[in-house]
Amino acid sequence: MKTPPEGHQPSYQPPPPPARRRLGGVRTTWLIVGALVAALVIGAAFVLPIPLFYVFEPGPVLDVERLVRVRDGRTYSSEGGLYLTTVGVDVSVTFVDLVRAAVDEHREVILESDYTQGASDQEVLRAARLEMEQSQLNAKEVALSELGLAKPTAGVKVVETVEESPAEGRVAPDDLLLAVDGKPVCGPMDVSTLLADREVGDEVSITIRHRDRKRTFDVATAENPQLPGQPFLGVQLEQLERDFEAGEEIEFKTGRIGGPSAGLLMSLALYDQLTPEDITAGRDIAGTGTIACNGSVGPIGGVGLKVAAAEAKGVDVFLAPVGDFEEAQRVATEIEVVSIATFDDAVRYLEGLK
């Protein structure tokens, strides 16, 4: 093999470095656009609300003794606590929220239309506030009546009938509506609660006092013009004045909490403050349920979420309306769930804790 002469360089030359490619052209432009669109879509999934959907989730668990206070009267404290439970409603639901709710058993996705029933947001809030006000009156009457400090209210006043409704001509202004399907009523909310599981056109039995005469008859429900698809009696109702003893001024500080589901716990908190005995027996008691003027406890929505909230709070016992008991018990893992039909049921159970 021959070798090149000394000082002679081989003729091999290394290849030149690759030329720098400029970002440009149709393909590169589309890649950039695609990346930007993907980034925007991902960002929107976190921040942009999707209409049509709401998400229910466990809400705050609140010490109801702090929300119901007796002024100008002697009160008693308790070693334990009474807690009302709430459901949080997320009305700005994003795609990410929907995904989270799909994998979280303690979140529920519902259609906005199912929640509002055709009413505006303002109408829904107004109805919730009115339900809370009615619930406070009922809680006050039930607790004070149990203590002999109030006379039970009988009936709700008819202001007028709706034209062309089944009640027109059969119910008159100033009549007293005493009962629906044999169950006493003392406020508009009681009537709405008793009609909640009925369909438009269903017949119900109502008891009316017209002047000094009491009579019971059947009447078909009509569609509520303010809540499409919901039944009502075709009458406008007004709350009667409650007859409470002087010297027991009750103050409710429920703030923005709406709806009727705090009724049972508000009545228990008021009763507890006016009773020398500690009905909590040093335990933390949570619960939910509407309260009627006759002391009956009605079912509510979202009881599973409320049980989850109470367990997260570390509460010992959850009082659930009879109609919600099975669902509450199914969700509970550590908390004791007790079925409650009336205010007296709740008091007897709590007194048995001693």
Side-chain angles (χ1 to χ4, degrees), residues 2 47 68 77 92 107 118 140 163 167 175 194 206 253 282 292:
K2 294 183 179 181
V47 299
V68 181
S77 59
S92 298
R107 284 184 170 84
K140 184 176 178 180
E163 291 184 4
D175 283 355
L194 292 172
I206 63 174
K253 294 184 176 181

Side-chain angles (χ1 to χ4, degrees), residues 261-332:
S261 64
L264 172 62
L265 268 296
M266 289 192 296
S267 60
L268 288 173
L270 181 54
Y271 180 83
D272 186 39
Q273 291 180 40
L274 294 171
T275 305
E277 295 80 11
D278 179 2
I279 66 171
T280 68
R283 303 181 73 181
D284 289 332
I285 314 295
T288 190
T290 65
I291 193 77
C293 55
N294 62 3
S296 62
V297 176
I300 50 83
V303 70
L305 302 178
K306 294 185 175 185
V307 170
E311 284 199 327
K313 180 76 172 179
V315 174
D316 302 309
V317 177
F318 190 92
L319 306 180
V322 172
D324 295 321
F325 175 70
E326 289 187 5
E327 181 184 353
Q329 197 170 42
R330 177 182 58 81
V331 174

